[in-house]
Amino acid sequence: MLLAIDSGNTNTVFAVFEGEVRRGEWRASTNQHRTADEYAVWLTQLMGLAGLQRSDVNAAIIANVVPATAFSLKTLCQRYFKCEPLVVGDESVKLGIAVNLPNPAEVGADRLVNAVAAHARHPGVDKIVVDFGTATTFDVVTKDGAYSGGVIAPGPNLSLEALYMAAAKLPGIAIRRPPTVIGRATVPAMQSGVFWGYVGLVEGLVKRIGEEMGSTPKVI
């Protein structure tokens, strides 16, 4: 079985796959101070609840955008799962796609795996992958599978946190779709700004990217 680790700025997701079947998936907050031993205790217990053992895993792959966590995640795979993980972004790891940028090494692992997965599922068409995380990213993948750049914008939660921190009279709120675009009080006005603002962001950027590509890309 394969242990797949996706380490993002906010959360780290662990999943175990048996072929194409996902046998389990678990999420933890990303913490650069967490050790391999701490990961192992936490993950082993959750795997056990799903009827899985450490010995079931014989391969691992890591996509990581937080350099400070790299050592602990690699050590977790080596020490507790007895395998050397593939690390997306390492020169030795061939993803099977071209990266058509002046400096391919600066592309985040999360964006590379988005491109690989998008092309595997939708070959033969131009694609835009929209990924909502700490940042909202738009990744452009050509019909032949080449990663060709994209856009990085602040994520909705990050924008909301910045608004709350910078404006003394604005409260902390949850993101949800308001009943109307025009807010008639502070909270629905903020919700409208975040929710419909991001709808507009996505729609506007997808339209502009498609115009630059000269095609009608599939949006994922």
Side-chain angles (χ1 to χ4, degrees):
M1 294 186 188
L2 171 69
L3 173 64
I5 303 173
D6 177 12
S7 177
N9 289 296
T10 303
N11 292 313
T12 301
V13 182
F14 299 79
V16 172
F17 288 87
E18 186 173 14
E20 296 293 321
V21 178
R22 185 174 56 195
R23 294 287 304 276
E25 179 182 310
W26 309 276
R27 184 179 299 265
S29 59
T30 298
N31 182 345
Q32 61 181 340
H33 302 297
R34 187 168 288 143
T35 67
D37 301 328
E38 290 171 318
Y39 277 124
V41 171
W42 173 83
L43 184 57
T44 300
Q45 290 180 339
L46 290 171
M47 287 176 61
L49 293 174
L52 300 170
Q53 303 297 321
R54 284 190 292 121
S55 58
D56 294 331
V57 173
N58 56 15
I61 185 167
I62 299 171
N64 179 30
V65 299
V66 184
T69 68
F71 177 78
S72 291
L73 292 174
K74 290 179 68 174
T75 302
L76 168 71
C77 298
Q78 295 162 342
R79 181 181 299 165
Y80 292 99
F81 293 96
K82 309 303 181 185
C83 59
E84 189 66 34
L86 294 177
V87 179
V88 175
D90 282 2
E91 290 185 2
S92 60
V93 177
K94 306 303 179 185
L95 297 177
I97 63 170
V99 180
N100 292 339
L101 296 179
N103 185 10
E106 73 179 16
V107 182
D110 54 341
R111 306 183 77 184
L112 292 174
V113 295
N114 278 348
V116 170
H119 187 62
R121 290 178 178 270
H122 305 284
V125 297
D126 291 333
K127 299 162 280 287
I128 303 171
V129 184
V130 187
D131 188 344
F132 294 91
T134 305
T136 298
T137 59
F138 299 72
D139 296 315
V140 176
V141 186
T142 61
K143 61 182 65 178
D144 58 355
Y147 178 84
S148 299
V151 176
I152 302 174
N157 282 307
L158 191 61
S159 295
L160 193 58
E161 183 179 346
L163 188 64
Y164 166 67
M165 294 293 291
K169 289 190 174 182
L170 295 183
I173 64 168
I175 297 175
R176 60 171 58 112
R177 177 174 177 164
T180 59
V181 176
I182 300 173
R184 298 179 62 82
T186 299
V187 169
M190 292 174 65
Q191 290 172 334
S192 183
V194 174
F195 184 89
W196 292 114
Y198 268 84
V199 171
L201 173 78
V202 173
E203 291 177 341
L205 282 173
V206 164
K207 179 176 181 294
R208 289 175 181 270
I209 291 170
E211 290 172 352
E212 279 196 12
M213 296 177 73
S215 67
T216 305
K218 182 175 185 62
V219 180
I220 303 165

